[in-house]
Amino acid sequence: MKYLSGTAVWRVLVLLIAVLVGLLLVPSARATLVDGLEYATFLVAPSAEKAFERGERHFDVTDPYAYDLSRAEYYFRQAIELDPQYPHAHHQIARILFLKGLFDAALAQIEMEIKNQGEVEPNTYYVRGLIHGFREDYVAAEADYRTFLKKDPKNWAATNDLAWILLKDNRPLEALHAIDEVLPYWPINPWLFNNRATALYELERLDEAIGDARRASTLVQDVSEEDWAVAYPGNDPGSAGDGLRAFKEAVAKNLEKIEQAWAEQNPTAGLPL
């Protein structure tokens, strides 16, 4: 029977101690042996690239088990500590802080990404547009979305968010025009039809608004939790069911509001078929 040499035993003991330390220090309440090993191997040979890869693993919505915003943020910050200009690290931290509702901190991170990387990654402007939008800085948000759309003019999500900003800024006609530019490429998209119905409602074009609201109500029934997760990348994959239900409720309420307005405007007529 073969026995491990003294050196080999020592190496095994060092690794086990490192894993135990990793389990104690890993930035998450849900620490496993895999997490401890991941953390221990990072401590043994840290690098910005390795840190960023681990951050991406824990920010991956396709892997619900590994998804963990705290660990993702920790590793992205380690990447920056090791390389202050590491590409996309500030961007990812900004997304995480945005998801946590820390909009000012998120804005500072995305500004740093743009300062370091410029227009290399158009998605950075998309993220900044979201942050500006939730901070109710609609002019800045519009500028960011339009910058992104110059690179990807048929992108439905950015157009839908631009329309949302324009609606919040009381500019429904511009929101309608923005949606109409991309709708031919996305003819079964409930998000676009729902916002289009809202724009038409605010323009008091209720006959058209009802049609779009009904279209959105029909189309949203075919949206799966996977579709919702794709539409909201970075969100906790475990929240997809709740998010989808909330979206369906919003579409239903929008239709109800528009139909009620139409009925008040046409008190002697039944709702259009």
Side-chain angles (χ1 to χ4, degrees), residues 80-95:
I80 291 170
E81 186 171 321
L82 292 163
D83 180 353
Q85 296 194 20
Y86 196 85
H88 216 56
H90 285 289
H91 175 110
Q92 295 296 65
I93 293 173
R95 291 178 62 204

Side-chain angles (χ1 to χ4, degrees), residues 74-108:
Y74 171 81
Y75 282 117
F76 289 135
R77 289 189 182 278
Q78 287 296 303
I80 291 170
E81 186 171 321
L82 292 163
D83 180 353
Q85 296 194 20
Y86 196 85
H88 216 56
H90 285 289
H91 175 110
Q92 295 296 65
I93 293 173
R95 291 178 62 204
I96 291 170
L97 294 173
F98 171 78
L99 290 171
K100 292 180 176 181
L102 302 173
F103 303 133
D104 291 345
L107 182 60

Side-chain angles (χ1 to χ4, degrees), residues 34-270:
V34 172
D35 303 326
L37 182 60
E38 174 189 71
Y39 191 67
T41 54
F42 173 71
L43 290 179
V44 169
S47 71
E49 181 179 10
K50 188 183 293 184
F52 188 83
E53 288 175 353
R54 281 159 169 72
E56 290 285 86
R57 174 175 177 263
H58 293 300
F59 202 23
D60 182 2
V61 298
T62 66
D63 187 353
Y65 180 78
Y67 181 92
D68 186 309
L69 286 183
S70 295
R71 272 183 284 170
E73 182 180 353
Y74 171 81
Y75 282 117
F76 289 135
R77 289 189 182 278
Q78 287 296 303
I80 291 170
E81 186 171 321
L82 292 163
D83 180 353
Q85 296 194 20
Y86 196 85
H88 216 56
H90 285 289
H91 175 110
Q92 295 296 65
I93 293 173
R95 291 178 62 204
I96 291 170
L97 294 173
F98 171 78
L99 290 171
K100 292 180 176 181
L102 302 173
F103 303 133
D104 291 345
L107 182 60
Q109 288 291 324
I110 208 67
E111 295 284 14
M112 185 62 69
E113 183 72 26
I114 291 172
K115 178 182 177 181
N116 290 342
Q117 307 301 328
E119 295 189 19
V120 172
E121 179 51 71
N123 279 341
T124 299
Y125 288 90
Y126 192 143
V127 172
R128 193 170 71 173
L130 276 174
I131 296 167
H132 279 313
F134 276 82
R135 294 176 79 246
E136 300 184 354
D137 187 346
Y138 302 132
V139 173
E142 178 188 359
D144 284 330
Y145 284 126
R146 293 197 185 280
T147 297
F148 174 84
L149 286 166
K150 288 178 184 177
K151 302 289 186 180
D152 189 0
K154 298 177 184 177
N155 188 288
W156 76 262
T159 301
N160 193 62
D161 285 344
L162 172 60
W164 164 65
I165 288 297
L166 294 170
L167 288 169
K168 296 284 283 186
D169 202 26
N170 298 313
R171 296 155 66 189
L173 186 59
E174 293 175 66
L176 180 64
H177 289 164
I179 293 170
D180 284 347
E181 287 184 10
V182 302
L183 195 59
Y185 304 104
W186 306 96
I188 58 171
N189 186 294
W191 284 271
L192 291 175
F193 276 103
N194 192 54
N195 261 346
R196 191 174 193 274
T198 299
L200 290 166
Y201 166 80
E202 294 188 4
L203 291 166
E204 299 185 357
R205 293 161 57 176
L206 298 182
D207 287 343
E208 297 169 81
I210 283 181
D212 278 1
R214 287 175 174 173
R215 180 73 168 147
S217 182
T218 298
L219 292 172
V220 77
Q221 303 309 316
D222 294 327
V223 177
S224 67
E225 291 187 14
E226 290 75 17
D227 296 328
W228 189 91
V230 169
Y232 299 95
N235 288 50
D236 186 345
S239 71
D242 291 338
L244 179 56
R245 280 189 292 275
F247 179 43
K248 288 181 176 180
E249 289 174 5
V251 170
K253 289 179 179 178
N254 201 34
L255 174 58
E256 181 181 358
K257 176 185 69 177
I258 294 170
E259 288 184 334
Q260 182 177 349
W262 191 96
E264 290 174 357
Q265 193 178 80
N266 303 272
T268 62

